[in-house]
């Protein structure tokens, strides 16, 4: 497992390779989670196969770090939730 210790706001972004490694590790760690279900009250999400799981992180330069089914097109809903989750994880 990669360590995030020492990752603080320094004014410099981590290398693309480091971010890619983190994305791959996160995908590997959570790929087997099958709890929950697609939001069936949002038709566009109800149509997405629930077996798909992808992660994509875009940097300010436009470079991306991807893992899994990141190329599958689907609608993005509640995009703020991962950021709120990250803040909570940091606080805990």
């Amino acid at each position: 497992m990669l360590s995030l210790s020492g990752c603080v706001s320094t004014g410099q972004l981590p290398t693309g390779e480091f971010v890619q490694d983190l994305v791959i590790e996160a995908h590997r760690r959570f790929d087997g989670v099958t709890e929950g279900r697609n939001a069936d009250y949002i038709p566009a999400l109800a149509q997405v196969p629930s077996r798909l799981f992808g992660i994509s992180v875009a940097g300010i330069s436009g470079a991306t770090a991807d893992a899994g089914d990141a190329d599958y097109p689907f609608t993005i809903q509640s995009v703020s939730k991962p950021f709120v989750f990250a803040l909570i994880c940091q606080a805990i």
Side-chain angles (χ1 to χ4, degrees):
M1 181 179 293
L2 293 172
S3 173
L4 293 177
S5 64
C7 291
V8 296
S9 180
T10 62
Q12 294 181 327
L13 296 174
T15 66
E17 182 178 305
F18 183 72
V19 173
Q20 181 66 51
D21 289 345
L22 289 174
V23 168
I24 291 169
E25 173 67 20
H27 186 271
R28 183 204 59 75
R29 183 174 175 188
F30 296 104
D31 189 35
V33 175
T34 58
E35 299 162 9
R37 60 187 175 93
N38 292 23
D40 55 6
Y41 56 90
I42 302 171
L45 287 179
Q47 297 173 11
V48 176
S50 60
R51 64 178 164 65
L52 297 177
F53 172 49
I55 301 173
S56 184
V57 175
I60 58 174
S61 69
T64 61
D66 307 309
D69 300 305
D71 292 331
Y72 188 91
F74 62 93
T75 181
I76 297 175
Q77 304 289 326
S78 303
V79 72
S80 65
K81 289 179 182 175
F83 300 103
V84 173
F85 178 71
L87 289 171
I88 291 169
C89 287
Q90 185 178 26
I92 293 173

